[in-house]
Amino acid sequence: MMNGFDDIPFFDEEPTARPAKPDPAPERPQAGAIPSGLAARAMAARQASAPRPTYLDGLNPEQLRAVETLDGPVLVLAGAGTGKTRVLTTRIAHILATGRAFPSQILAVTFTNKAAREMRERITHLAGEAVEGMPWLGTFHSIGVKFLRRHAELVSLRSDFSILDTDDVIRLLKQLIQAEGLDDKRWPARQFAQMIDGWKNKGLDPNQIPEGDARAFGNGKGRELYTAYQNRLIGLNACDFGDLLQHPIRILKNNPDILADYQNRFRYILVDEYQDTNTAQYMWLRLLAQRPKGKNPSPTHPHKGAGLDAPSTATGRNTRLADDDFPGSDPQVSSLPLVGRVGEGSSSHVNICCVGDDDQAIYGWRGADIDNILRFEKDFPGATVIRLECNYRSTAHILGASGHLIAHNEGRLGKTLFTERADPDDEKVQVHASWDSEEEARGIGEEIEQLQRQKHPLNNMAILVRASFQMREFEDRFVTLGLNYRVIGGPRFYERQEIRDAMAYFRLVCQPADDLAFERIINTPKRGLGDTTVRHLHDYARARDIPMLAAAGDMVETEELKPKARKSLYDVVVNFKRWSQLLESTPHTELAEQILEESGYTDMWKADKSAEAPGRLDNLKELIRSMEQFESMRGFLEHVSLVMDAEQNENMDAVSIMTLHSAKGLEFDTVFLPGWEEGLFPHQRALDEGGRNGLEEERRLAYVGLTRAKKRLHIWFVSNRRIHGLWQSTIPSRFLDELPEDHVEVAEVEQSYGGYGRNQYGQSRFDKQEPFSSGYSSPGWQRAQANKTDATRNNWGNRSGHQVERIGYGEAGPTGRVIQGELVAKSKVDTPSAFSVGDRVFHIKFGNGNIAGIEGNKLTIDFDRAGQKRVLDGFVEKV
DNA sequence: GTGTTATGGATTTTT
DNA sequence: TCCATAACAC
């Protein structure tokens, strides 16, 4: 099987020693010419006798080493809360300050826009304005776009290509699937979109995908469909997200001169969150991090004498370096006097610095390959590996608990975090048991209110859940309590229907070939242009290989359409023609408003009587407002396609609710982790689909959760949870067993709730809870343990009495406890229910009742006290 | 061409 | 249970 990067040579293929570089004596800056900020500090740094620059103050020895080891490959293993971002930003400041590179010669990649933004801000803070000229600081995707806009023609695109989001992609794929004569229900476009995404994450084009993969979809037509999709994208002058990396890789591979150009340009490469890189990103990095081949234009000092602040110091010019002014291309720059210690960075290795934490790799499911970080030293021979293990975030208890948990994973690079903080008042990690998710939400609400009474800001608290369905219960509870909360993640501004519709109008005006935009809005608002008309247009356009808008322009001249549709379509065509003409002459916000007005789009929502309509109109206004910050409509569209998020209201004091995934990188004084039950966390599907690796990723996710907390960490689990409308009894997460006793205690269960079901139908397992300090010996805990083995049979997705596959480590873990039932396979067989209608049964949560109906293994039961509920048959017993 | 009922599926998510 | 999407009737 081709892996797509056989032809990328390794770094050490060219072991030739670099020529000796000039090492000019630093010049003394001229009095009065000293600019503020970075340059001044840089100059100070350059003087042998001068004290070390202030931006290095306060770094610990490892951090300092990570900042100052500028030559050759460096892997910084930065544990949670060890100052990763600080190292990264200081390192860049240091490179700039020592004059080793221009801002435009540094490639710094992140995964999210947020991380890129933060990095830019912090470098600016450290280094002053010079960094605003860092054109190659951004996400993999934004850098990919920038590259691709320049070289689009090499992959048959025009530089004004549009970027499709997942929604567009799915609609397009659906068309293609139907065009192949396949049943789009049997072969869902959504699933195929994920497959394509997976292939692109691995850097595979249609010819390279494994035969098995190709056959697995669409009656064996996977490869044809993928090919057709790529062709269609070119036809649409569009890219999907994967292409933003795929196309650049292809361009770099096929054009050695371009590759060499960029290899020369990027003197320093920095990568954030390296553990999350996928294969394609790895390939791209590896291409760029190679030594230029062949006719090497003196890589040692490609820009003679171009120390960073040479221009700014000497002339005051160029404090903001434009995109293209990398040294050598600008005679003014390259003729400036030699100032910095240029060329010192040269060695036999490339200056790539990757920062990451293998213990926080939680994106395997979307193509991230944790092996990239585990393999670093092999990939980059002679690499310096620096471990940041001093944690500045959490208490010793939190650190102890999380470290103990993550130690259960195999295949780690291995770090042990420590803290210098030792406060006897720090509380241990608390584990709370509750009866069901409602009580869980109540309990956490109480705790929050308690903290609030002690004047702790809500902004410093967060609830981190495994799956987003868990959020609702908290929201409901907080609404009744009148407690401010903020949901992070969730549906985003630019994904709202009205925003996407409006954007489709704008897209079509800027890019008349954007058929997907055309199809989205041609009948929005309703114009009587339904499926049949669209199909006509589609066929016409396909037959002549022209965009649909153009086809519409043609067809209104013919008699093919019914008069009504024809008139309607004519109006649309004329409108778009007019708007396109106004594009250059009218201010873009004005034009945007005009488009939404004249198309009848805003009227559509004004006429809508539903509750959401006014909100949607507000959103449209907000959209126009946010356009103001951009120079043109095109610039705005580009921004939106890459930056899908819009900032939240941060002025309000509110508890944050989010998934564990979106919590990565954040920290809070108090963190609540609800839902630590088998099946939910670790999630059953992760176990089913990912096996041991899946479990380890779940454990890393748990580790991420634990390490978000600075002072207080409260973990909760429930005995009963409703999943897909069915009540199921649950058992505590195995991760709870993996927490060390000396840092954890079981919180007292407050009796005040008197929740329904609790004392009526028997005691909760944790009613008589004793703290962990007495060992895991409390009756409740023992019962839970007993239940655990027992309940494995009745576990999620498992039907009563089915066979259970046990794959254990077999060995005692660090707790000294044997982990059993490591993975619980999902049963696929539906055995007929052993119950019949009318049977009298007992359920642990709802008590006694009579079976009213049976569908497979799902029972509908009329309970004496709880009313009618649906439960799985495994959770009731005959009485 | 549009409004209403059935069906099925239901981690995690960035760009 | 609950949501989105899809087939169906008007």
Side-chain angles (χ1 to χ4, degrees), chain A residues 60 62-63 66 75-87 272-275 354-361 373 385-394 399 402-403 406 412-418 664-667 703-704 706-708:
Chain A
N60 69 34
E62 291 74 35
Q63 291 174 329
L75 175 64
V76 180
L77 289 171
T82 55
K84 177 196 71 161
T85 312
R86 179 162 185 203
V87 162
D272 191 17
E273 305 280 15
Y274 189 63
Q275 77 283 354
C354 297
V355 181
D357 180 0
D358 51 316
D359 291 333
Q360 293 185 68
I373 193 167
V385 178
I386 298 167
R387 286 182 159 73
L388 303 183
E389 300 181 300
C390 181
N391 176 290
Y392 299 99
R393 179 185 293 158
S394 310
L399 228 44
S402 55
I406 198 65
R412 303 170 60 218
L413 290 170
K415 288 182 293 338
T416 310
L417 301 191
F418 63 92
K664 191 161 83 155
L666 306 177
E667 57 178 33
Y703 176 75
V704 167
L706 299 175
T707 52
R708 297 310 95 197

Side-chain angles (χ1 to χ4, degrees), chain A residues 552-567:
Chain A
D554 286 1
M555 279 185 82
V556 291
E557 305 292 330
T558 69
E559 303 293 325
E560 268 184 70
L561 296 171
K562 295 206 182 88
K564 244 199 197 153
R566 191 176 154 190
K567 171 74 178 82

Side-chain angles (χ1 to χ4, degrees), chain A residues 439-742:
Chain A
E439 188 184 291
E440 182 183 54
R442 263 204 310 267
I444 290 178
E446 289 261 314
E447 288 199 84
I448 290 171
E449 290 190 315
Q450 186 74 32
L451 288 164
Q452 202 180 16
R453 280 193 286 275
Q454 296 162 17
K455 302 280 180 264
H456 291 104
L458 297 176
N459 279 335
N460 292 349
M461 305 177 206
I463 299 169
L464 312 181
V465 297
R466 178 60 186 70
S468 39
F469 75 82
Q470 293 172 262
M471 293 180 182
R472 232 187 86 174
E473 205 114 29
F474 292 100
E475 293 194 57
D476 288 351
R477 184 66 195 155
F478 294 171
V479 167
T480 50
L481 289 177
L483 197 63
N484 284 345
Y485 68 89
R486 154 173 49 223
V487 174
I488 315 264
R492 287 171 297 175
F493 184 73
Y494 292 111
E495 280 169 2
R496 291 160 204 260
Q497 184 195 337
E498 65 278 15
I499 300 303
R500 298 173 54 95
D501 288 341
M503 298 290 297
Y505 274 99
F506 304 155
R507 269 163 62 185
L508 196 52
V509 169
C510 292
Q511 246 258 100
D514 195 333
D515 285 0
L516 290 161
F518 179 90
E519 285 182 60
R520 183 178 182 98
I521 49 85
I522 185 60
N523 201 28
T524 311
K526 304 273 190 289
R527 301 189 171 91
L529 300 169
D531 282 351
T532 37
T533 317
V534 172
R535 191 150 312 135
H536 271 278
L537 283 167
H538 195 266
D539 293 346
Y540 186 96
R542 283 276 62 88
R544 288 165 187 75
D545 202 25
I546 56 170
M548 288 177 75
L549 186 59
D554 286 1
M555 279 185 82
V556 291
E557 305 292 330
T558 69
E559 303 293 325
E560 268 184 70
L561 296 171
K562 295 206 182 88
K564 244 199 197 153
R566 191 176 154 190
K567 171 74 178 82
S568 207
L569 191 60
Y570 176 80
D571 289 344
V572 174
V573 169
V574 169
N575 271 338
F576 272 99
K577 206 170 274 172
R578 192 176 62 254
W579 294 328
S580 296
Q581 282 162 0
L582 290 173
L583 191 56
E584 306 304 328
S585 54
T586 315
H588 61 289
T589 48
E590 225 168 273
L591 178 60
E593 256 173 300
Q594 199 178 329
I595 292 170
L596 295 183
E597 282 298 326
E598 293 176 3
S599 63
Y601 192 73
T602 41
D603 288 341
M604 177 181 103
W605 288 116
K606 280 178 191 157
D608 192 311
K609 292 280 169 280
S610 68
E612 310 94 68
R616 294 187 194 271
L617 284 163
D618 282 347
N619 288 337
L620 290 172
K621 287 203 189 98
E622 178 61 37
L623 179 73
I624 306 276
R625 216 171 310 144
S626 63
M627 285 178 84
E628 285 169 11
Q629 300 162 30
F630 294 85
E631 282 185 7
S632 66
M633 194 173 272
R634 282 204 177 84
F636 176 69
L637 290 176
E638 168 107 2
H639 170 82
V640 171
S641 55
L642 289 173
V643 183
M644 296 292 288
D645 62 340
E647 61 282 357
Q648 292 230 1
N649 173 18
E650 252 138 53
N651 301 322
M652 177 175 75
D653 190 36
V655 184
S656 297
I657 304 175
M658 68 188 99
T659 63
L660 287 159
H661 282 92
S662 41
K664 191 161 83 155
L666 306 177
E667 57 178 33
F668 300 90
D669 283 349
T670 308
V671 168
F672 298 95
L673 300 172
W676 280 44
E677 299 120 38
E678 283 294 303
L680 177 58
F681 195 33
H683 200 282
Q684 188 61 48
R685 233 169 116 170
L687 303 180
D688 290 344
E689 287 164 19
R692 171 84 55 87
N693 291 336
L695 173 65
E696 295 212 342
E697 185 155 307
E698 293 287 290
R699 193 177 281 118
R700 291 193 291 269
L701 193 53
Y703 176 75
V704 167
L706 299 175
T707 52
R708 297 310 95 197
K710 290 156 89 172
K711 298 179 185 155
R712 283 170 294 273
L713 178 54
H714 292 204
I715 304 173
W716 287 69
F717 69 93
V718 305
S719 313
N720 296 282
R721 195 175 283 280
R722 199 176 53 185
I723 307 286
H724 309 332
L726 295 171
W727 282 98
Q728 316 204 18
S729 42
T730 53
I731 54 172
S733 169
R734 72 192 75 190
F735 297 150
L736 289 168
D737 290 342
E738 298 174 0
L739 298 173
E741 298 182 27
D742 35 338

